[in-house]
Amino acid sequence: MKIRREVKVGIFGIIMLVVAYWGINFLKGVDILSANHTYHVVYDKSNNIEISSPVLIRGIKVGTVTKVAIKNVHDKVEVDLNVKSKYKIPSNSVAVIVDKSLLGGKAIDIQIGDASTILENGDEIAGIIDDNMGKQIDELKNKVTGMLDELTATLSNLNKILDDNNIKNIGTTLGNVKDVSTDLRTKLETITSDLTVLTGELKNSAPVITATMNNLAVITDSLQTSLPILITSVNGTVNELDKTIAALNSDNGTIGKFMNDPALYNHLSDASNSLNLLLEDLKANPKRYVHFSVFGGGKDKDPQTKPDKNDKKSQK
């Protein structure tokens, strides 16, 4: 049977329409070749949810949004969800509008309830909006804006610092730092050289140092031997000195009596004074105490008792 050209064109057109319908739904995320259920959700606002936004269960895509509309300006937003029928959703589940990522985009996350009854095709799911991600994004945006403002102010201050005069001063400072570094390197080289010489001298002096250490060891051994004897002798001397001092402070000994008896001291003082007077008188009148004769044999007479020549004449 020969098919007319018009019929072929019509069949081809129908096929193309079917393919186009399937392709459009595929791009929307709707698989028309599998069995799906449609659920209705009502929100106070769309919160930027769009047709073809994914429907998620525990992060897994199970369907798409097929409708976002309002009947009038006073009504709530009606959203239709097309979900694969193999996923059984409890009746007390909740459809939450969430952010897909920090870069934007919305999705509906179905939080599964624990009811024993299952939603049927065309049933309504309770809907809520989760703005936590939006708040976090706003806070991050504010922080980034503040950081940009601070960065702008810092760059402005940096531009003021890096003017011609300051750049010249910085160049001068860097030159001074270079000179200081050169001087420091020279001094360090000198110190290193001196340390090398000192190390060599110490190395050459090692025998002398060794001999000195040996002598110190011998002296130390000698001190260990003689020091206890010396300490014992010193202790004995100190004990004897203590006894002597005790005897001096006592009234029993001669020196103790002399030191502690005021009467004896006074007697000795009087005797000393009398002796001084006697010596002075002896010095002033020596003939009173000393008599001598050139020829000898005569009795010493006191000049004061010698008879006077006038007395002899009177006697005659």
Side-chain angles (χ1 to χ4, degrees):
M1 180 179 178
K2 188 178 181 179
I3 301 176
R4 296 173 59 182
R5 180 181 293 178
E6 290 81 0
V7 176
K8 293 180 180 179
V9 172
I11 294 172
F12 180 75
I14 292 172
I15 294 173
M16 292 301 296
L17 289 174
V18 172
V19 171
Y21 176 76
W22 177 84
I24 292 171
N25 284 278
F26 178 79
L27 294 175
K28 291 180 179 180
V30 178
D31 187 4
I32 62 175
L33 300 179
S34 62
N36 296 322
H37 287 170
T38 299
Y39 303 106
H40 303 288
V41 189
V42 178
Y43 297 100
D44 292 332
K45 58 182 180 178
S46 67
N47 202 29
N48 296 326
I49 197 71
E50 298 176 347
I51 296 175
S52 301
S53 296
V55 178
L56 309 175
I57 294 179
R58 293 188 175 89
I60 305 299
K61 182 179 178 181
V62 297
T64 57
V65 176
T66 58
K67 176 185 175 182
V68 179
I70 57 174
K71 294 180 179 179
N72 57 64
V73 295
H74 300 290
D75 290 337
K76 295 184 178 181
V77 178
E78 297 179 358
V79 179
D80 289 344
L81 310 180
N82 190 278
V83 181
K84 295 179 181 180
S85 59
K86 66 178 181 178
Y87 297 106
K88 307 302 180 182
I89 300 175
S91 59
N92 62 343
S93 300
V94 179
V96 183
I97 298 177
V98 296
D99 294 283
K100 289 194 298 183
S101 66
L102 292 175
L103 299 177
K106 297 291 183 178
I108 293 180
D109 182 27
I110 298 178
Q111 299 180 0
I112 302 300
D114 56 358
S116 58
T117 57
I118 303 300
L119 292 174
E120 300 294 337
N121 185 28
D123 288 345
E124 183 175 334
I125 304 177
I128 60 176
I129 298 174
D130 184 9
D131 289 332
N132 290 332
M133 183 67 73
K135 293 179 181 179
Q136 293 177 3
I137 292 174
D138 291 338
E139 291 177 358
L140 180 61
K141 181 180 178 182
N142 293 332
K143 291 181 179 179
V144 171
T145 301
M147 291 175 62
L148 290 176
D149 294 338
E150 292 179 358
L151 181 60
T152 301
T154 302
L155 292 176
S156 177
N157 294 330
L158 184 61
N159 290 330
K160 293 179 180 179
I161 293 173
L162 296 178
D163 57 5
D164 294 337
N165 293 329
N166 290 333
I167 291 175
K168 184 177 179 180
N169 293 332
I170 292 172
T172 303
T173 302
L174 291 177
N176 294 332
V177 170
K178 183 178 180 181
D179 294 338
V180 171
S181 300
T182 302
D183 294 339
L184 182 60
R185 184 176 63 183
T186 304
K187 291 181 180 179
L188 287 176
E189 291 176 354
T190 303
I191 293 172
T192 304
S193 178
D194 294 340
L195 287 176
T196 303
V197 175
L198 179 60
T199 303
E201 292 179 354
L202 288 175
K203 184 177 180 181
N204 295 330
S205 302
V208 178
I209 295 174
T210 303
T212 303
M213 295 301 295
N214 293 331
N215 293 333
L216 288 176
V218 172
I219 293 172
T220 302
D221 294 337
S222 177
L223 286 176
Q224 288 180 351
T225 303
S226 59
L227 190 60
I229 299 173
L230 180 62
I231 292 175
T232 303
S233 177
V234 170
N235 289 332
T237 303
V238 171
N239 292 330
E240 293 296 330
L241 183 60
D242 290 338
K243 292 180 181 179
T244 301
I245 293 173
L248 290 175
N249 292 327
S250 175
D251 295 338
N252 296 326
T254 303
I255 298 177
K257 291 181 178 180
F258 178 75
M259 293 178 62
N260 298 314
D261 190 358
L264 179 60
Y265 172 79
N266 293 330
H267 289 319
L268 288 175
S269 180
D270 293 340
S272 178
N273 291 331
S274 298
L275 182 60
N276 288 333
L277 293 175
L278 179 61
L279 291 175
E280 289 178 357
D281 185 64
L282 177 63
K283 184 177 180 181
N285 303 297
K287 294 181 178 181
R288 180 182 298 176
Y289 303 96
V290 179
H291 304 281
F292 64 92
S293 174
V294 174
F295 300 102
K299 292 183 179 180
D300 294 336
K301 296 181 180 181
D302 191 348
Q304 295 179 355
T305 59
K306 186 178 180 179
D308 190 78
K309 291 180 178 181
N310 296 326
D311 294 337
K312 290 181 178 181
K313 294 180 176 180
S314 60
Q315 290 177 0
K316 289 181 180 181

